[in-house]
Amino acid sequence: MNKRNWEQYKNSDDGKRVIAMFDPATVNFAEIYRFTETPAYPYNDDMIYAAEEWDCNIPDIDIEVHSREDYEKIIDEIEFHRVIQITNDGVITFEETALIKANDYRRKVSAIHFISLILYYRADFFKPLLYPAAFNIIQAACSKLGIELPAIPHGRDYRDYLAYYYDICIAFNDFQKEYGLTDAEFCACLYDYASTLGDEEQKVGIELPTPTNIWLTGASKEDIAAIERNGNADEMIWACNERTRRGDIVILYALAPHSCIHSIWRASASGLFNPFDYYQNRTIITNGVDIPHITNKELKSHPYFSLLPIVKKNMQGVSGVELSAKDYLELLTLIGEKGGDTAQLPNLAATIADYVTPDVKIEKDVEEKILIPLLTKLGYSEHDYTRQLTQKAGRRLKVIPDFVFCPGGKEHFQTAPFIIEAKYDMGTLREYSNAFAQALSYARIMRSDMMGICDKERLVIYDVSSGTAKQETPIFEQHWAVIYTDTSTLNRLVKLIGKETMLNKKGNV
């Protein structure tokens, strides 16, 4: 963070206003919610505008700043109640309902913005964690400021996600201490100042990769009304399968009362995993194309689609169902028969069928059987990159990027224009997010202009010359099948990360 720029912001009228808004002595929940809410990421009305009506049964204990035990006691015991006024024939009564019970960790996770604000009142250690449906906004702000967030927990234990908030607060407090910020200044820095450091909506990588997966997902009556009202808006946040990747084809099925396949979209993000959202797996869909509606009744009477398991289940559990390439081709045929223009719809890569998939069982196989053969095609020999390069981070020798290209400098203090971190499988959004954060950390230490992450399925490249990048906007992302079978894709990679390109960049690192 640039201290001079921060001081200018802090002393500006806007800066003073936002800092005052987050003053723990006077903070107003509704005011903060309205300030941070955006049309794309709205809060639940019950959790915002009726905030003053909530009664929180927080255990009456002293919260020690670094006591995880005390915090875990809070998340185990806290409950949310609401008193509702009922008028019947002129008689007013009040009924108390338990909206979130003590053991309902999933609902507590989705209320972290409210719980964290309460804790912010109680102890200096805790910080507000806002944007309940968009943790990626906080991740982007932290990336700009240089705050290294801890890895998202594995598994599906919602209590673990609540505990993860404690670990995030440790990272927040370390940053606050490093720059000598008050609690209110830190909040203003994270939720307002960071947005001045670049355009959050800037698209670094405009071209979508060739689609390799097809997903069927559901849309409610309200969802469909919003889509039709906005005329297939450029982008929409949508629930998705956790393995959705950027470029994938997303088929929208309108639930009752429409009960039909409504439109076909593309995923413009590799999936957004939010540990603090009730629906944790989301993506961004774009380029929606209307098609002649194909009703559930038509699917059930069709000789091919009537045999699909999801159709047999009467489309129950439709969100995030994977379809095969043959399923999609059959759908295109049906759309054409109903008068639809299939030329407007996305197609799978024709060359993928020519790719012979290597036998990959572990991470080393990804490196040896997929990545290194590609590096040879890009002009590299084994002397042009170093594997498992140990770097000094602070007082420790711990940073070990998998592949460091054209390194230079002193031992343990080297720089490099490009690094790649290889994994066996980044199929889940959580694994992808953790791999991205790990690679970005390495790239910063190596002062790299470019970084890559890859697994058994695909290669993704980011421009990190500014010191940061948005997870959902790489400059290159493609399936190995396309990279190895499409000449134009390989030529693009040669220009982007080939040996000659990196040697030219080396002098600038």
Side-chain angles (χ1 to χ4, degrees), residues 64-234:
E64 297 180 12
V65 170
H66 295 295
S67 173
R68 180 182 291 273
E69 184 180 73
D70 284 338
Y71 171 68
E72 292 187 355
K73 184 177 181 181
I74 290 172
I75 63 176
D76 286 337
E77 297 183 9
I78 191 172
E79 291 186 344
F80 291 92
H81 301 268
R82 190 172 186 183
V83 177
I84 301 175
Q85 178 178 314
I86 301 174
T87 303
N88 187 10
D89 294 332
V91 179
I92 298 176
T93 57
F94 295 90
E95 179 180 315
E96 182 175 330
T97 59
L99 292 182
I100 304 180
K101 298 180 180 179
N103 63 350
D104 193 346
Y105 294 112
R106 186 178 185 184
R107 289 193 179 277
K108 287 181 181 179
V109 159
S110 63
I112 192 65
H113 57 297
F114 190 72
I115 295 173
S116 62
L117 272 173
I118 293 169
L119 295 176
Y120 182 57
Y121 273 118
R122 297 288 300 273
D124 292 340
F125 173 76
F126 296 102
K127 302 294 183 290
L129 194 69
L130 306 175
Y131 300 116
F135 185 57
N136 57 299
I137 291 181
I138 293 177
Q139 289 173 309
C142 288
S143 178
K144 290 181 179 183
L145 296 170
I147 301 174
E148 188 170 338
L149 293 174
I152 298 171
H154 293 271
R156 295 185 178 275
D157 190 325
Y158 291 97
R159 188 179 184 277
D160 287 347
Y161 298 146
L162 282 168
Y164 177 55
Y165 164 65
Y166 188 94
D167 298 328
I168 291 173
C169 285
I170 292 176
F172 284 173
N173 278 281
D174 288 345
F175 178 85
Q176 178 179 342
K177 182 178 179 180
E178 179 180 355
Y179 288 97
L181 307 177
T182 65
D183 290 334
E185 287 173 348
F186 170 80
C187 294
C189 183
L190 181 67
Y191 291 109
D192 191 39
Y193 171 72
S195 66
T196 69
L197 303 181
D199 183 3
E200 283 294 324
E201 300 302 321
Q202 181 182 3
K203 299 299 179 187
V204 179
I206 297 174
E207 182 182 350
L208 292 176
T210 305
T212 53
N213 302 305
I214 307 104
W215 306 101
L216 185 64
T217 192
S220 68
K221 178 175 66 173
E222 293 75 20
D223 293 332
I224 295 299
I227 289 173
E228 294 180 346
R229 184 169 57 249
N230 296 331
N232 288 359
D234 289 340

Side-chain angles (χ1 to χ4, degrees), residues 338-357:
K338 295 196 70 172
D341 184 3
T342 58
Q344 297 183 48
L345 300 173
N347 281 304
L348 299 172
T351 60
I352 288 180
D354 299 329
Y355 180 61
V356 179
T357 305

Side-chain angles (χ1 to χ4, degrees), residues 365-386:
D365 290 339
V366 174
E367 298 176 359
E368 300 286 345
K369 298 180 180 181
I370 303 180
L371 179 57
I372 290 179
L374 172 65
L375 297 180
T376 301
K377 291 178 177 291
L378 299 180
Y380 294 101
S381 71
E382 61 181 10
H383 304 294
D384 298 317
Y385 55 82
T386 302

Side-chain angles (χ1 to χ4, degrees), residues 359-408:
D359 183 18
V360 174
K361 297 179 180 178
I362 58 176
E363 183 177 304
K364 187 175 181 181
D365 290 339
V366 174
E367 298 176 359
E368 300 286 345
K369 298 180 180 181
I370 303 180
L371 179 57
I372 290 179
L374 172 65
L375 297 180
T376 301
K377 291 178 177 291
L378 299 180
Y380 294 101
S381 71
E382 61 181 10
H383 304 294
D384 298 317
Y385 55 82
T386 302
R387 302 175 67 178
Q388 302 293 312
L389 177 68
T390 301
Q391 280 287 91
K392 191 166 184 179
R395 298 180 179 179
R396 298 172 295 173
L397 291 173
K398 192 175 180 181
V399 179
I400 309 175
D402 287 335
F403 286 78
V404 178
F405 295 84
C406 307

